[in-house]
Amino acid sequence: MKHTSSILSVIIFLICFSCKKEELPINITTEDYHNSVDKLTEVMIHDIFSPPVASRIYAYPNIAAYETLNQNNASYKSLGNQLNGLTKLKSEKADASTNLKLASLIAYIDVAKELVFSKERITAYRDSLYSNWKTLNHEDFNKAKDFGLEISEQIIAWMNADNYAETRTMPDYNIYTDDPSRWEPTPPAYMKGIEPSWNKLRPFVLDSAAQFKPITHPKFSLEKGTAFHNELMEVFNINNAIRAKGDDSEEIAMARFWDCNPFVSVNKGHFMFAKKKITPGAHWIGICKIACKQTNSDFEKTVYAYTKTSLAVADAFISCWDEKYRSNLIRPETLINKYIDLEWAPILQTPPFPEYTSGHSVVSGASSEVLTEIFGDNFAFDDTTELPFGLPMRSFKSFRLAAKEAALSRLYGGIHYRAAIEVGLDQGIALGTLVNAKISFLK
């Protein structure tokens, strides 16, 4: 009897040992990475982050994932000593058997949770993934976790030195002035100007926030025939003409598709609430996802594409906001209501910051240049980014054409003058070109 029991014990041990030896590495796919980016977008929409702040939130987790994946990659270079303030990272907890894809996803999530208000939402998402990964292969998970957190800790330390925390206590925008050209809050919420000190952040690629300082906007004047007055009347007349076409016009469809305003205020009786949407940066992150999936990009290229796009978006906001609070230009809505038509309202709700240059134009120009460099010119795609928000798909023959439409949509929406659109697009293109030339991702 004892002999039989001993044999059974040996058999059970051998079976367990055999099973353990046959455990496979945890399989992390591009879909897992897309899902994590989507989760971060979902939390940002819930928390209603401003467009500039949202751009920062996208950048650091993607950089963490990219660096975790590419400390010793044969095809991709580390961004250490390439991005402002980012030195070469220490990577002592990885060896040839470390699951780098898993580690990069762990690093992404760990950095992401430090950037949002609703940290518990990211933590709950992380814990559900951790539980599944531990079950699949505990040893593989632990090794990847150790390395991923080693990199994320260093990225967080670098992140915390970008001057963001200091800007939280800097002065608000001063709306009290006798200057008739100076921006002032707009209906219906009359919110204060957001992020007036955003140009104080450390850029990622730019030498300074003012590196692509645009030409000055047309001189403010309400005199008929002047360049500024002509642009003001163009906004007024175009919006009136669009409304006359009806709510289903192509121009209104274009304006609404590219609205991407997380500050839309809805009035219901005595109540006012925010209608939650993605930011313009999030829209281009969504286009990046579409391009990655359409080309069946592998995990490494997917992380590379997200990282490069998020860098361009983040520096585009720093560059644009530097000009916005330098020129402090008044919005069309304010002038039209004061001097032309008290009842007039733009097709889109005016966002709460100065007019020049157009943020959508700068961000779209920059994003389109880096995406073109990654996926090629004449890259046709169906943009389904706005489907979750009840807006139909729009199709484009290239990223650059999409950027041009995004920029022009701000005129159709009634919230920007033409100069802000055209100069802003050039500003973004110049910035995207810099990212392509200055930062070397590929070996």
Side-chain angles (χ1 to χ4, degrees):
M1 191 74 175
K2 285 184 180 181
H3 180 69
T4 303
S5 178
S6 297
I7 292 173
L8 285 173
S9 297
V10 170
I11 292 172
I12 292 170
F13 172 78
L14 289 173
I15 291 172
C16 291
F17 182 77
S18 175
C19 291
K20 185 176 181 181
K21 294 290 283 185
E22 292 177 2
E23 261 187 350
L24 298 174
I26 299 167
N27 182 35
I28 299 297
T29 67
T30 55
E31 199 62 32
D32 294 319
Y33 199 82
H34 291 312
N35 289 341
S36 293
V37 176
D38 289 346
K39 171 56 68 172
L40 182 55
T41 298
E42 174 192 313
V43 174
M44 285 195 285
I45 292 171
H46 175 271
D47 288 348
I48 318 181
F49 283 105
S50 70
V53 175
S55 73
R56 179 178 181 265
I57 294 173
Y58 278 121
Y60 285 109
N62 279 310
I63 294 168
Y66 179 89
E67 285 300 292
T68 305
L69 202 57
N70 296 310
Q71 287 300 295
N72 296 291
N73 192 285
S75 301
Y76 294 91
K77 293 182 180 179
S78 167
L79 297 175
N81 297 322
Q82 292 200 77
L83 301 181
N84 295 327
L86 182 63
T87 56
K88 184 170 176 57
L89 303 181
K90 297 177 181 178
S91 53
E92 299 171 353
K93 296 187 178 181
D95 57 33
S97 67
T98 304
N99 188 333
L100 295 180
K101 293 179 183 178
L102 176 57
S104 71
L105 198 54
I106 289 171
Y108 181 98
I109 296 168
D110 191 59
V111 174
K113 72 177 173 55
E114 298 302 315
L115 286 156
V116 297
F117 297 143
S118 300
K119 184 181 291 190
E120 71 283 355
R121 289 174 177 256
I122 298 291
T123 303
Y125 175 73
R126 177 202 66 188
D127 290 348
S128 67
L129 293 175
Y130 276 16
S131 178
N132 182 50
W133 292 333
K134 287 177 188 175
T135 301
L136 291 172
N137 189 324
H138 199 273
E139 183 179 351
D140 193 38
F141 167 71
N142 281 337
K143 286 192 70 173
K145 181 183 175 185
D146 285 346
F147 181 49
L149 296 184
E150 179 185 33
I151 298 298
S152 70
E153 182 181 350
Q154 295 172 78
I155 295 297
I156 290 169
W158 170 60
M159 174 184 82
N160 288 338
D162 71 355
N163 213 37
Y164 174 77
E166 289 79 358
T167 64
R168 301 307 87 195
T169 57
M170 290 179 182
D172 288 340
Y173 176 85
N174 181 14
I175 64 172
Y176 301 103
T177 177
D178 294 328
D179 183 351
S181 72
R182 190 174 172 86
W183 179 82
E184 55 187 77
T186 51
Y190 295 94
M191 293 176 62
K192 65 183 181 181
I194 66 163
E195 302 300 339
S197 301
W198 199 251
N199 66 340
K200 304 296 192 299
L201 261 70
R202 177 190 62 210
F204 291 93
V205 182
L206 290 167
D207 294 335
S208 73
Q211 183 172 352
F212 293 108
K213 178 182 176 181
I215 60 173
T216 305
H217 59 80
K219 184 178 179 181
F220 177 82
S221 174
L222 296 177
E223 183 180 344
K224 291 183 179 180
T226 60
F228 184 87
H229 187 265
N230 287 344
E231 288 200 350
L232 174 64
M233 293 308 299
E234 181 183 32
V235 175
F236 178 68
N237 291 329
I238 281 181
N239 270 243
N240 288 345
I242 290 171
R243 278 200 175 86
K245 290 183 178 182
D247 199 49
D248 59 350
S249 73
E250 172 65 6
E251 292 89 347
I252 288 180
M254 188 188 299
R256 288 176 176 166
F257 184 78
W258 292 103
D259 185 17
C260 304
N261 181 1
F263 291 103
V264 173
S265 299
V266 180
N267 293 296
K268 293 289 185 181
H270 297 292
F271 297 97
M272 179 180 286
F273 58 91
K275 187 176 181 180
K276 298 182 178 182
K277 297 181 181 181
I278 57 173
T279 62
H283 192 133
W284 281 98
I285 290 292
I287 291 174
C288 177
K289 173 185 175 181
I290 290 167
C292 287
K293 297 186 83 166
Q294 186 172 315
T295 55
N296 293 316
S297 294
D298 62 19
F299 192 89
E300 287 79 8
K301 185 174 181 179
T302 296
V303 175
Y304 155 56
Y306 273 121
T307 303
K308 191 169 189 179
T309 303
S310 65
L311 286 174
V313 168
D315 269 11
F317 274 106
I318 292 173
S319 178
C320 183
W321 253 242
D322 178 61
E323 179 56 38
K324 279 188 179 294
Y325 286 97
R326 179 188 299 110
S327 55
N328 290 304
L329 186 61
I330 197 165
R331 290 277 183 168
E333 180 175 15
T334 306
L335 292 177
I336 292 170
N337 287 163
K338 281 185 177 180
Y339 301 107
I340 302 172
D341 183 349
L342 180 63
E343 301 300 321
W344 186 90
I347 288 168
L348 299 181
Q349 193 171 116
T350 302
F353 36 81
E355 192 272 345
Y356 189 80
T357 48
S358 157
H360 271 63
S361 302
V362 181
V363 169
S364 297
S367 300
S368 67
E369 288 305 304
V370 299
L371 286 168
T372 296
E373 196 272 343
I374 297 169
F375 297 103
D377 203 358
N378 301 316
F379 184 94
F381 65 98
D382 295 328
D383 189 350
T384 56
T385 309
E386 298 290 338
L387 287 179
F389 305 95
L391 295 170
M393 174 188 79
R394 291 183 70 83
S395 299
F396 300 98
K397 294 181 179 180
S398 73
F399 300 116
R400 287 171 174 149
L401 289 175
K404 287 181 179 179
E405 181 178 290
L408 185 59
S409 74
R410 314 311 276 167
L411 177 62
Y412 293 157
I415 59 178
H416 274 295
Y417 311 111
R418 187 174 291 276
I421 292 163
E422 294 179 350
V423 176
L425 189 60
D426 288 342
Q427 183 181 354
I429 290 170
L431 193 152
T433 302
L434 174 74
V435 174
N436 287 336
K438 188 175 179 180
I439 305 302
S440 179
F441 284 86
L442 303 177
K443 288 184 177 177

